[in-house]
Amino acid sequence: PPLDYLAAERDLLAERLRRGRPCLGICLGSQLLAAAAGASVHRGRAGLELGSLPIRWTAAARGDAVIGDDAPELCVAQWHEDTFSPVPGATLLASSARYEQQVFRLGASYGFQAHVELDADGFARWLDLGAAEIEAAGGDVEVLRAGLGVLRADDGRRRALLDRLAAHFVAAARAR
């Protein structure tokens, strides 16, 4: 069962969705947003998704005003084992090789399973801080650090995406 504060967060997100208020969920936040919209959140059968990994944009993402990326993929930081079922009423915007549900749009709300907010330097700090946890799970921090170059190569595109997300939420706030 979810912890009390997570249930409260999910309920708040559900209320915001009912009122048509935009929400942004990243990683656990995307799982809570998905649950608030009626999806089931569960441990993924494909196991831990950890590293600098690509997500593939759907055709719907290329036409999305916020995503609007002409490149077929974007490298993002991933660190999760949980996933969720398709979100009722949402548009799937990206998938990864391991998990289909990576990015979705529901009305004016967006959910990102991946850590789109992290650049290569930020993810490197996470890897350093979580080294013991990674190694305990059978991971190799040095292999993960070696993948930071591909993440760094997409830092500018991720920043542009974050700028578009910020502009989207500013416009939504002004519209209210």
Side-chain angles (χ1 to χ4, degrees), residues 47 89 165:
L165 270 169

Side-chain angles (χ1 to χ4, degrees), residues 7 26 46 51 57 69 72 75 78 82 84 87 91-92 96 100 102 116 118 124 133 136 139 141 146 153 161:
I26 297 176
W57 297 121
D69 197 331
C75 188
Q78 297 271 19
D82 294 331
F84 42 89
V87 179
T91 300
L92 180 65
S96 71
E100 181 179 21
Q102 285 289 336
V116 69
L118 280 179
E133 179 182 345
V141 175
L161 171 58

Side-chain angles (χ1 to χ4, degrees), residues 48-114:
L48 179 65
E49 186 169 41
L50 172 60
S52 303
L53 303 165
I55 54 172
R56 292 178 312 281
W57 297 121
T58 65
R62 290 187 195 94
D64 185 86
V66 172
I67 303 298
D69 197 331
D70 289 332
E73 296 182 339
L74 179 69
C75 188
V76 293
Q78 297 271 19
W79 194 337
H80 65 95
E81 287 185 81
D82 294 331
T83 189
F84 42 89
S85 63
V87 179
T91 300
L92 180 65
L93 299 174
S95 299
S96 71
R98 192 171 289 236
Y99 290 107
E100 181 179 21
Q101 303 300 318
Q102 285 289 336
V103 181
F104 67 90
R105 180 189 68 240
L106 182 60
S109 297
Y110 286 83
F112 291 83
Q113 178 63 68

Side-chain angles (χ1 to χ4, degrees), residues 119 149-150:
D119 63 10
V150 293

